[in-house]
Amino acid sequence: MARPPLIILFVAIVVSLVSVFAAFIIAPSSACRDFNAGIITYDNHQQLSVALARTTVEHQQGLSGCSSLPPGQGMYFIFLVKTDISFWMKDMKIPIDIVWLSDNKVIGITSAVPPPTSPQAVLPLYPAPAPVDAVLEIGAGEAQKLNIHQGSTLEISY
Amino acid sequence: MFYNLFDPTPLTQLHIIIAGTSFILVYLSLAIMLKQPTRFLRVVPAHHAVYFAGFVLVAVIALIAFVSIESKPLRFGLLSAAFLTLLIGLYDEQYSLSPRAQLIWQIMIATIVVLWGWRISYISQPSANGIIYLDQFTLGPLVWPASFLTIAWLLLIMNAINWLDGIDGLAAAVGVIALSTLSLLTLLPSVQDSRTLTLSLLGAGAVLGFLVWNFPPARVFLGTSGSWFLGLYIGLVAIMNGGKIVTTLLVLAIPVVDLFFVIIQRLFTGRHPWLGDKTSHLHYRLVRVGLCPRTVVIVAIIISLLLGVGALTLQTRQKIIAFIASVVMLSLISVELIWHARRS
């Protein structure tokens, strides 16, 4: 048998290292979240495409670190049980509207919540008006533009 | 019963095109390759020319999956793992890596896909109709315990498929059934998962194209690159959009049970658990008692199909019971065959 060409293993090691390195650099920064994970249909059959936050880690991450949120997109938080919850804007870079939902109905909207002015700033809490089982985050001013108001019906499919 | 079982809403023309394209690409590539015999990747001890052709399967699946996965990190993760599997697999097919080196490379491949964001974030809870979240807290780019369970899961399926690849057509046939079952699972009214459907149909088409040439008597082998990648791919499709772990385990009961059985046997007889042999595996034992390879493959196909039907029709808790039942049955067959070997 010919002498094994160690160059193949060497290339494999280089590929691994490059891929691991790239995973650290690209994975967190690319397109921030997957905004095609779910579709929200609301009054008059209008639609929004949303990223989903289902797990504790996803809830904590939310839209942190995202530097833009195009119109028509948002993040949908799903809670297993109705929860009296407060959101904060840790590591957020963009202002948002927080739409509070219970049984697919909008029970309140906290509009134009600003991102923290500096990483060290004391973070204000934004409480839900009543226990919620889902929360929708969209760009600031979008709720009014899209005519999402208290009592609107929002249904998610994913 | 089956007429009412599925809701084909997620199925689009694009899915059929993707599955058909992958089948035709693999089938034709192999046909062309076999028409022009070369020394490249030829398996030496064979009566008629047989080739290691796993690389065709890896290339077709990885490239089509790369363009069909929407999430950028996930698709780069799959592509780099596929490329690495290809390099290490081709090396092993020609120059044989030690079992330890193989395991280290498998861990490397599984870790890379997990670093790129593939993980089992949640599984359904068997005792209630709830969900168990596996994302508890983050450790840098990894998430505890989801990322670590995912690495273990991928290693399990990669090795199960690799070890099953001892008889012509066996691993590819079981692979086609596993991926087809996952495709049908996504069409259940309670699942409706268009992304997993794309990946599983693409895989099923490609592996079926391979199976035509891999069915006994085989003209092509999966080799290390093909069997590692097939295992990795099934493992990834199963976790693409929420865990389909129990379903996958149930369809893959034969290789998974055999994997554990062979490890236990080797440990009991004082051998290295990862050192291969031509006797321990269930399929080798079946051939030794007089079944021809083709019969073994057909029996495995029938059992896997039955398990697949079970995976589609049962609830999670019943699936676990079915899995335990098949573990017991396959274990009894294995033990009987071991005694048979001792007696003769």
Side-chain angles (χ1 to χ4, degrees):
Chain A
M1 192 190 289
R3 201 167 65 89
L6 291 174
I7 184 82
I8 299 181
L9 291 183
F10 179 73
V11 171
I13 292 172
V14 172
V15 169
S16 316
L17 292 177
V18 169
S19 182
V20 168
F21 186 70
F24 275 86
I25 305 295
I26 297 171
S29 66
S30 67
C32 126
R33 303 287 178 270
D34 174 12
F35 288 108
N36 292 309
I39 301 272
I40 283 185
T41 312
Y42 62 100
D43 309 341
N44 308 324
H45 305 292
Q46 304 203 64
Q47 292 195 325
L48 281 169
S49 65
V50 289
L52 296 175
R54 282 178 278 203
T55 69
T56 322
V57 168
E58 288 169 350
H59 287 162
Q60 285 162 2
Q61 283 174 342
L63 290 169
S64 298
C66 294
S67 42
S68 71
L69 186 56
Q73 297 188 342
M75 175 165 249
Y76 192 78
F77 295 72
I78 300 168
F79 300 93
L80 285 181
V81 286
K82 283 194 185 168
T83 320
D84 221 345
I85 198 172
S86 292
F87 273 38
W88 65 354
M89 297 289 279
K90 192 174 183 313
D91 300 326
M92 290 284 288
K93 295 178 176 170
I94 40 173
I96 52 166
D97 285 351
I98 305 177
V99 180
W100 309 98
L101 296 150
S102 178
D103 298 324
N104 296 335
K105 288 255 182 231
V106 176
I107 58 163
I109 297 173
T110 311
S111 306
V113 180
T117 45
S118 75
Q120 293 80 28
V122 178
L123 297 167
L125 288 177
Y126 301 93
V132 290
D133 52 17
V135 172
L136 173 68
E137 289 186 351
I138 43 181
E142 285 289 304
Q144 199 180 4
K145 224 181 282 173
L146 298 169
N147 196 22
I148 296 177
H149 49 82
Q150 199 156 350
S152 293
T153 311
L154 267 73
E155 274 173 28
I156 178 92
S157 60
Y158 50 85
Chain B
M1 175 177 129
F2 284 96
Y3 182 74
N4 290 327
L5 192 62
F6 302 108
D7 173 1
T9 317
L11 187 69
T12 60
Q13 278 178 339
L14 189 66
H15 289 113
I16 312 285
I17 293 171
I18 287 179
T21 311
S22 58
F23 173 84
I24 292 167
L25 271 179
V26 172
Y27 179 84
L28 285 184
S29 309
L30 294 178
I32 293 167
M33 188 179 139
L34 288 167
K35 271 264 163 68
Q36 298 164 333
T38 57
R39 285 178 56 85
F40 179 61
L41 292 178
R42 187 164 171 164
V43 184
V44 183
H47 317 296
H48 58 305
V50 181
Y51 299 89
F52 283 122
F55 71 95
V56 174
L57 197 64
V58 181
V60 170
I61 295 184
L63 291 178
I64 303 184
F66 183 77
V67 288
S68 19
I69 297 175
E70 287 160 20
S71 155
K72 192 165 150 197
L74 294 191
R75 67 157 96 133
F76 276 109
L78 178 70
L79 193 70
S80 45
F83 189 55
L84 203 54
T85 311
L86 196 64
L87 283 178
I88 299 301
L90 288 175
Y91 186 90
D92 184 57
E93 284 155 17
Q94 295 297 299
Y95 308 104
S96 288
L97 284 166
S98 71
R100 180 180 306 198
Q102 288 191 22
L103 186 64
I104 291 172
W105 279 110
Q106 286 178 342
I107 293 174
M108 180 59 122
I109 291 164
T111 308
I112 283 176
V113 279
V114 168
L115 280 175
W116 279 100
W118 288 87
R119 63 170 192 266
I120 312 167
S121 292
Y122 57 90
I123 49 173
S124 55
Q125 190 178 357
S127 57
N129 285 332
I131 280 174
I132 302 172
Y133 287 125
L134 298 175
D135 282 6
Q136 294 302 330
F137 54 88
T138 47
L139 301 164
L142 298 174
V143 180
W144 176 265
S147 300
F148 298 90
L149 284 172
T150 310
I151 293 175
W153 163 253
L154 294 175
L155 288 179
L156 172 74
I157 303 299
M158 272 170 99
N159 282 300
I161 297 290
N162 185 26
W163 286 15
L164 187 66
D165 189 28
I167 286 187
D168 295 356
L170 188 56
V174 173
V176 169
I177 295 173
L179 288 164
S180 313
T181 309
L182 283 168
S183 312
L184 290 174
L185 184 79
T186 64
L187 297 179
L188 291 179
S190 56
V191 182
Q192 299 287 296
D193 176 354
S194 149
R195 295 161 165 213
T196 309
L197 179 62
T198 313
L199 292 190
S200 51
L201 271 183
L202 144 66
V207 183
L208 192 65
F210 195 90
L211 182 61
V212 177
W213 299 105
N214 187 225
F215 199 76
R219 299 296 315 280
V220 295
F221 286 162
L222 280 169
T224 314
S225 50
S227 61
W228 282 19
F229 184 74
L230 180 56
L232 178 77
Y233 190 73
I234 295 174
L236 289 177
V237 172
I239 62 171
M240 173 76 186
N241 231 354
K244 297 173 177 64
I245 303 290
V246 183
T247 309
T248 313
L249 270 184
L250 189 56
V251 189
L252 295 181
I254 299 178
V256 170
V257 172
D258 190 51
L259 177 100
F260 284 110
F261 233 81
V262 168
I263 290 180
I264 293 169
Q265 248 181 91
R266 289 179 186 163
L267 287 177
F268 262 96
T269 48
R271 280 174 295 170
H272 194 288
W274 300 109
L275 220 50
D277 60 56
K278 287 269 176 197
T279 51
S280 310
H281 292 282
L282 181 60
H283 43 266
Y284 290 140
R285 292 187 182 285
L286 287 170
V287 170
R288 271 237 303 254
V289 295
L291 294 182
C292 75
R294 200 183 274 252
T295 316
V296 175
V297 174
I298 291 171
V299 169
I301 290 177
I302 293 171
I303 296 178
S304 300
L305 276 177
L306 289 174
L307 290 168
V309 171
L312 290 170
T313 48
L314 302 177
Q315 300 298 316
T316 303
R317 199 200 302 197
Q318 296 166 319
K319 279 185 216 170
I320 293 175
I321 296 171
F323 181 68
I324 295 171
S326 38
V327 168
V328 172
M329 266 179 51
L330 290 168
S331 306
L332 285 176
I333 297 172
S334 301
V335 170
E336 166 61 27
L337 287 171
I338 293 169
W339 279 343
H340 184 91
R342 288 252 172 91
R343 280 199 301 272
S344 52

